[in-house]
Amino acid sequence: MCQETKVGIIGLGSYLPKRVLTNQDLEKMVDTTDEWIVTRTGIHERHIARPDEATSDMAVEAAKQALADAGLKAEDIDLIIVATITPDMFFPSTACLVQHKLGCRHVPAFDISVACSGFVYGIAIANQFISSGVYRHALVIGAEKLSSVTDWSDRGTCVLFGDGAGAAVLGPVNSGGIVSVYLGADGSKGDLLNLPAGGSKLPASKKTVEDKLHFIKMNGAELFKHAVKIMADAALEATKPLNLKAKDIDLVIPHQANLRILMAVAKRMGLSEDKIYLNIDKYGNMSAASSAIALADAVKEGRIKKGNKILLDAFGGGLTWGAIVIEW
Ligand code: ACO
């Protein structure tokens, strides 16, 4: 009988652009206040990429760190997945650009468009390829330059987003690793968060630019309600097959959408708030990069120890969602 390989995260890295945009800076750009942003979202500041810094550039920096952390070289990677909704361009994929810039072999490389759940989906896909023995080492990157699709005159969205990249190297492990995966999507609610123009439905034109249709559009209040229920339900679905109770989870690494959403999820799950890892205050919502960077930061800060059970829990546009239990 074929024995499935146990798969774990064996290296992590992150990259944040140098420029920091504070709430006080935003007060000078739109009709908002530091107090409103902090109380409604938990965000104090976010990082913004340089105009000449593309998503692939940030992805490569995070990937280099993850490779070094894993003790591997670019040529050891067998598969590259980049989760992003802000690729450098429509095609070639950002993953192909990353493959070339890193100097990887001619291994499969592709992007996935899963919004904020992208990193979790990427881990789930890579897990399949490695556990089945097809590949040995995969690079999964969540990278976003959301500042490039943010309407800086819309106070309802521009205060929320930031830029960055996080990367993980997955490979075989002797014990623990990924023990449960749960993914889902609901396309009927796609209009709650989208970027309407530039695709085949509304190709770029003078009118789409004038109508600001190349920026993120969001129904924040509706998303808020769905996010809380979906993240709590996804956590339950991922932990149920393992008979895990909330108290058995050592740390939740959630997509950093909004502090109030995350506190409501903790309450719904019956988890104490200190079991929810937070870094939204420093970075805002970086879509697919958020959970990748949160995981890298949590490990760096010593919040995750060997043997801990951690839960990745994400929700995003699509709608999409995913939860993964990892024994560290
Ligand atoms: N500064 C000051 N006032 C503001 C701002 C701002 N930046 N933005 C909105 N307001 C105003 C509104 O105009 C409104 O004013 P009105 O009552 O006079 O009409 C008032 O504040 C309340 O607006 P709401 O949208 O109802 O505020 P809410 O409490 O819902 O908070 C927020 C808005 C923060 C966007 C919240 O709905 C939210 O976080 N939703 C989830 C968003 C999210 O998570 N998106 C991403 C998920 S998926 C992904 O990560 C890609």
Side-chain angles (χ1 to χ4, degrees):
M1 203 180 88
C2 161
Q3 179 75 43
E4 277 202 357
T5 307
K6 283 182 199 297
V7 183
I9 292 179
I10 58 172
L12 285 163
S14 63
Y15 174 81
L16 277 312
K18 285 212 167 55
R19 183 178 160 215
V20 174
L21 185 73
T22 64
N23 291 349
Q24 287 73 21
D25 295 328
L26 281 164
E27 284 176 351
K28 296 177 198 132
M29 295 163 62
V30 285
D31 181 14
T32 192
T33 60
D34 173 55
E35 199 255 333
W36 192 96
I37 302 171
V38 172
T39 52
R40 301 289 177 123
T41 71
I43 302 167
H44 291 259
E45 56 189 36
R46 68 289 290 144
H47 290 246
I48 303 293
R50 295 187 314 268
D52 67 337
E53 197 169 31
T55 295
S56 67
D57 299 317
M58 296 188 281
V60 163
E61 292 310 314
K64 282 181 185 166
Q65 268 189 27
L67 283 168
D69 190 37
L72 294 177
K73 298 202 159 39
E75 58 262 34
D76 297 321
I77 292 299
D78 304 306
L79 169 70
I80 302 167
I81 301 173
V82 175
T84 186
I85 51 165
T86 48
D88 287 26
M89 56 195 85
F90 262 148
F91 67 89
S93 70
T94 301
C96 283
L97 302 174
V98 168
Q99 179 205 47
H100 173 62
K101 289 182 188 181
L102 277 177
C104 294
R105 288 176 291 116
H106 292 169
V107 298
F110 57 90
D111 288 1
I112 53 172
S113 172
V114 201
C116 310
S117 315
F119 181 68
V120 171
Y121 265 60
I123 298 282
I125 296 166
N127 177 42
Q128 289 298 318
F129 277 112
I130 301 171
S131 65
S132 59
V134 175
Y135 300 125
R136 189 166 169 82
H137 293 125
L139 184 58
V140 177
I141 305 170
E144 301 285 9
K145 186 176 175 181
L146 291 181
S147 62
S148 67
V149 291
T150 297
D151 178 354
W152 291 103
S153 65
D154 174 15
R155 69 176 183 174
T157 54
C158 76
V159 301
L160 302 173
F161 303 121
D163 301 335
V169 176
L170 275 73
V173 290
N174 292 328
S175 60
I178 294 167
V179 285
S180 177
V181 173
Y182 173 76
L183 306 176
D186 177 3
S188 72
K189 298 186 179 63
D191 57 350
L192 294 182
L193 184 65
N194 66 9
L195 195 158
S200 59
K201 186 173 174 173
L202 277 178
S205 67
K206 194 162 175 269
K207 178 145 175 44
T208 60
V209 173
E210 278 166 5
D211 291 347
K212 298 187 169 187
L213 297 179
H214 296 272
F215 295 127
I216 295 176
K217 308 287 173 201
M218 185 180 83
N219 180 338
E222 268 304 297
L223 274 173
F224 194 106
K225 279 189 273 176
H226 291 295
V228 174
K229 179 171 180 336
I230 288 175
M231 287 179 83
D233 287 354
L236 194 66
E237 292 295 335
T239 50
K240 210 164 46 183
L242 306 169
N243 274 325
L244 289 180
K245 301 277 171 294
K247 65 173 173 43
D248 303 319
I249 299 292
D250 294 293
L251 193 64
V252 180
I253 308 287
H255 166 54
Q256 312 277 316
N258 178 312
L259 179 64
R260 286 188 299 148
I261 291 179
L262 301 184
M263 291 305 105
V265 170
K267 195 168 170 199
R268 215 176 158 108
M269 287 174 66
L271 270 179
S272 60
E273 292 180 359
D274 62 338
K275 283 202 174 181
I276 306 275
Y277 182 78
L278 298 171
N279 61 8
I280 188 170
D281 56 325
K282 297 183 285 184
Y283 307 140
N285 177 349
M286 299 175 288
S287 187
S290 270
S291 20
I293 293 175
L295 181 61
D297 277 5
V299 170
K300 229 185 288 173
E301 291 164 19
R303 294 282 304 273
I304 301 178
K305 311 239 166 9
K306 193 161 170 49
N308 278 177
K309 287 193 178 56
I310 67 151
L311 174 74
L312 297 179
D313 194 4
F315 163 84
L319 302 177
T320 57
W321 55 87
I324 293 181
V325 181
I326 305 176
E327 211 177 285
W328 208 253

